[in-house]
Amino acid sequence: MGILEKISEIEKEIARTQKNKATEYHLGLLKAKLAKYRAQLLEPSKSASSKGEGFDVMKSGDARVALIGFPSVGKSTFLSLMTSTASEAASYEFTTLTCIPGVIEYKGANIQLLDLPGIIEGAAQGKGRGRQVIAVARTADVVIMMLDATKGEVQRSLLEKELESVGIRLNKHKPNIYFKPKKGGGISFNSTVTLTQCSEKLVQLILHEYKIFNAEVLFREDCSPDEFIDVIVGNRVYMPCLYVYNKIDQISMEEVDCLARKPNSVVISCGMKLNLDYLLEMLWEYLALTCIYTKKRGQRPDFTDAIILRKGASVEHVCHRIHRSLASQFKYALVWGTSTKYSPQRVGLTHTMEHEDVIQIVKK
């Protein structure tokens, strides 16, 4: 029996098993086996030669956004509207057959947008070019899931399932579980909260399935067996996702209103160029980028060339971005903006910068 057949068998077994207290250990074991087989499926085959056409694109710009969705939902039209790159768009499916990069210039930042080929059902198992598309999506900072507003919910659940099965967790945070395999001493299990979904016995069963017999486990939040398996496997990617419903000009106002009110969702029409500005605003928020402006002594700040950093970046990050040796010669910095109590404020390397702050660095 091949891996795909084993996965299919386990999925059927999980579907027909009733969820109650008596079956929780059985279900936990099945989920652990399923995660193990899926991980094996994603490993590149050793027999495959290293030659062949490359699919990924070199990372560039200040952030990377992957555009995924089913064929013919308007991904290529969206790329052509947002960037200066022309991606072939047509009314038939699978117009795009490889990864096409473009650059969105917004608030002084260069955001790399990747138009990926359409995903089909079963992409996680390697159907179509699904596995390559998903591998590129894992390297992005934010995923834009492009959906057809006329059949959005069906597409959304299918795509989420495909991404979930390859370890991409959308709009979720990493489970707060401390896990460390050891050389000996058995399994030490503790929790700082009351656990309603996992028990010590279930944790031990899951660890034994992975041939782990000595480990330290500490639950700092009430997590499910699935989340504990994610921690053991360790190759999960947690990333923000923006659900973009295209073709809203083909549905009623009530349906548009209903879609727009869903969490993490934006409604647009590429054909009529509706609501694209709001989508860019939301994308900026999800990328959590900040613009920092620099200033030389005795001169006005340079507002033409911003340094783009992640939210929560410190003065040290700014120094590294300007020149790698600057932090070692750093004496102090003067900062103007919302991160200070008064302007200018004299700060050290650990000071956290905020959006549109101005900084002047003084060397030793």
Side-chain angles (χ1 to χ4, degrees):
M1 194 189 281
I3 292 178
L4 284 175
E5 288 82 11
K6 285 178 183 173
I7 288 174
S8 174
E9 283 295 311
I10 293 171
E11 282 175 341
K12 283 174 192 165
E13 175 80 9
I14 289 172
R16 64 171 174 258
T17 305
Q18 282 189 326
K19 289 175 179 66
N20 55 43
K21 269 281 183 214
T23 60
E24 67 175 1
Y25 299 124
H26 179 58
L27 280 170
L29 269 178
L30 288 174
K31 285 173 180 173
K33 280 181 180 165
L34 188 62
K36 209 160 87 172
Y37 287 136
R38 279 182 176 156
Q40 285 174 22
L41 194 67
L42 286 173
E43 284 168 11
S45 58
K46 292 187 172 66
S47 60
S49 64
S50 57
K51 290 177 184 173
E53 191 187 337
F55 184 75
D56 196 2
V57 175
M58 194 173 160
K59 204 166 185 174
S60 70
D62 302 299
R64 181 180 240 194
V65 177
L67 199 54
I68 63 166
F70 280 102
S72 287
V73 289
K75 299 189 296 298
S76 299
T77 312
F78 177 74
L79 182 88
S80 304
L81 282 173
M82 288 297 187
T83 70
S84 55
T85 309
S87 182
E88 193 185 339
S91 56
Y92 55 86
E93 295 192 343
F94 299 106
T95 319
T96 306
L97 294 170
T98 186
C99 178
I100 297 167
V103 176
I104 302 173
E105 291 175 7
Y106 186 66
K107 291 188 179 179
N110 290 331
I111 301 163
Q112 187 182 39
L113 182 67
L114 300 179
D115 178 16
L116 298 168
I119 283 183
I120 56 172
E121 209 177 333
Q125 277 81 48
K127 287 184 186 172
R129 299 197 75 176
R131 212 179 288 180
Q132 288 162 298
V133 171
I134 288 165
V136 176
R138 284 175 75 96
T139 66
D141 299 304
V142 167
V143 166
I144 289 183
M145 192 182 283
M146 190 72 96
L147 304 161
D148 189 328
T150 57
K151 46 190 173 189
E153 287 318 295
V154 183
Q155 290 190 343
R156 179 170 167 169
S157 56
L158 283 170
L159 277 173
E160 281 177 340
K161 191 180 163 193
E162 292 295 333
L163 295 177
E164 190 87 10
S165 66
V166 292
I168 296 176
R169 304 285 178 259
L170 301 176
N171 297 326
K172 287 181 183 174
H173 68 279
K174 203 173 178 181
N176 195 354
I177 300 172
Y178 173 76
F179 169 71
K180 187 184 179 185
K182 297 188 298 184
K183 292 270 174 31
I187 291 166
S188 146
F189 177 84
N190 276 305
S191 67
T192 57
V193 290
T194 308
L195 299 180
T196 59
Q197 305 172 72
C198 257
S199 66
E200 187 171 353
K201 187 184 170 187
L202 182 55
V203 164
Q204 285 181 346
L205 281 170
I206 292 169
L207 286 172
H208 290 173
E209 179 60 38
Y210 281 91
K211 307 268 189 299
I212 299 169
F213 302 100
N214 303 292
E216 226 174 291
V217 179
L218 172 63
F219 276 69
R220 294 196 184 99
E221 64 180 353
D222 187 14
C223 294
S224 65
D226 293 320
E227 288 173 316
F228 179 58
I229 291 165
D230 284 353
V231 171
I232 299 169
V233 176
N235 65 349
R236 303 299 188 230
V237 180
Y238 298 86
M239 60 170 65
C241 174
L242 205 50
Y243 301 100
V244 177
Y245 293 91
N246 188 21
K247 306 181 185 178
I248 54 165
D249 47 317
Q250 296 176 19
I251 57 172
S252 67
M253 276 306 292
E254 288 77 15
E255 287 173 301
V256 171
D257 186 53
C258 182
L259 290 174
R261 290 177 189 278
K262 288 179 183 290
N264 311 308
S265 300
V266 178
V267 290
I268 64 161
S269 169
C270 289
M272 296 179 76
K273 299 182 183 174
L274 297 175
N275 213 24
L276 296 173
D277 293 347
Y278 177 66
L279 173 54
L280 277 179
E281 276 177 44
M282 287 290 284
L283 186 59
W284 180 265
E285 214 172 284
Y286 274 61
L287 285 166
L289 297 175
T290 53
C291 296
I292 311 293
Y293 300 107
T294 54
K295 177 188 177 306
K296 288 180 181 174
R297 186 180 286 177
Q299 292 181 19
R300 294 180 69 80
D302 180 11
F303 290 119
T304 57
D305 189 19
I307 294 172
I308 309 293
L309 295 163
R310 287 295 149 102
K311 205 167 268 185
S314 65
V315 173
E316 191 171 1
H317 291 113
V318 179
C319 291
H320 286 309
R321 182 57 73 89
I322 296 167
H323 196 276
R324 61 174 179 266
S325 67
L326 189 57
S328 58
Q329 301 167 355
F330 178 87
K331 189 176 180 185
Y332 65 87
L334 294 172
V335 175
W336 292 257
T338 52
S339 67
T340 58
K341 290 175 185 169
Y342 45 87
S343 294
Q345 184 175 329
R346 185 170 162 162
V347 298
L349 280 173
T350 54
H351 177 76
T352 305
M353 303 294 287
E354 284 182 13
H355 186 50
E356 294 187 336
D357 277 0
V358 175
I359 187 169
Q360 178 188 318
I361 294 168
V362 179
K363 296 200 287 187
K364 284 175 187 169

